[in-house]
């Protein structure tokens, strides 16, 4: 019902393409400085988060946090949480990302996703969902 959309190219809003477009819209709207900085150093923000979204963050978070994320997907009946989370992670690491000058630096800043607590990050983001 959900996961197959992550491996299919389609126009469905919850396909990998739709989720990437949603991620771009969220990041551009809520973190324009970060969006512009990444583009200015020739880093495509979507390329940075594509593998996270496509794998539904599998392998990037501890199992308990990952299961919580997947429970939210089922509860909200939407894969859009993946895009919201991806934008939230970049926003959370914004200060460090604004200091880097290339893709290698971006990858170093985002190399370990275990430090932001997924549950806290999502709760904060979803509590402000009217602004998203």
């Amino acid at each position: 019902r959900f996961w197959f959309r992550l491996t299919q190219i389609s126009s469905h809003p919850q396909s990998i393409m739709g989720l990437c477009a949603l991620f771009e819209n969220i990041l551009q709207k809520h973190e324009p400085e970060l969006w512009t900085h990444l583009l200015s150093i020739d880093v495509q923000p979507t390329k940075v988060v594509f593998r996270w979204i496509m794998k539904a963050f599998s392998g990037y978070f501890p199992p308990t946090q990952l299961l919580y994320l997947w429970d939210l997907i089922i509860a909200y009946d939407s894969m859009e949480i993946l895009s919201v989370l991806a934008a939230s992670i970049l926003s959370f690491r914004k200060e460090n990302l604004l200091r880097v000058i290339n893709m290698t630096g971006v990858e170093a800043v985002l190399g370990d996703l275990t430090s932001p607590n997924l549950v806290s990050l999502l709760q904060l983001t979803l509590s402000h969902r009217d602004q998203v």
Side-chain angles (χ1 to χ4, degrees):
R1 176 174 162 149
F2 295 107
W3 313 121
F4 77 95
R5 295 199 190 280
L6 297 176
T7 59
Q8 290 185 338
I9 305 294
S10 80
S11 60
H12 191 281
Q14 295 202 28
S15 71
I16 188 68
M17 301 304 289
L19 295 174
C20 287
L22 176 60
F23 160 77
E24 288 181 353
N25 290 337
I26 292 170
L27 197 64
Q28 284 177 6
K29 180 179 178 183
H30 294 282
E31 295 293 353
E33 180 184 14
L34 179 57
W35 176 265
T36 303
H37 172 71
L38 292 173
L39 293 179
S40 74
I41 61 170
D42 289 328
V43 172
Q44 294 297 321
T46 304
K47 185 177 180 181
V48 173
V49 303
F50 185 84
R51 65 183 183 266
W52 300 345
I53 295 172
M54 187 167 188
K55 292 182 174 187
F57 289 91
S58 179
Y60 296 100
F61 284 105
T64 54
Q65 291 189 42
L66 191 61
L67 291 174
Y68 176 79
L69 171 63
W70 293 352
D71 282 348
L72 284 174
I73 289 169
I74 293 167
Y76 280 88
D77 195 27
S78 175
M79 299 284 280
E80 292 175 351
I81 291 170
L82 299 174
S83 301
V84 172
L85 179 58
S88 297
I89 291 168
L90 267 62
S91 182
F92 179 75
R93 298 274 173 87
K94 177 182 176 177
E95 289 182 30
N96 291 329
L97 289 169
L98 289 174
R99 294 183 190 134
V100 301
I101 57 170
N102 56 33
M103 183 63 152
T104 304
V106 170
E107 288 172 345
V109 168
L110 299 172
D112 179 19
L113 294 184
T114 58
S115 64
N117 182 291
L118 176 134
V119 174
S120 300
L121 195 56
L122 276 175
Q123 286 174 341
L124 179 64
T125 302
L126 294 175
S127 70
H128 294 99
R129 73 177 179 254
D130 294 334
Q131 298 169 5
V132 175

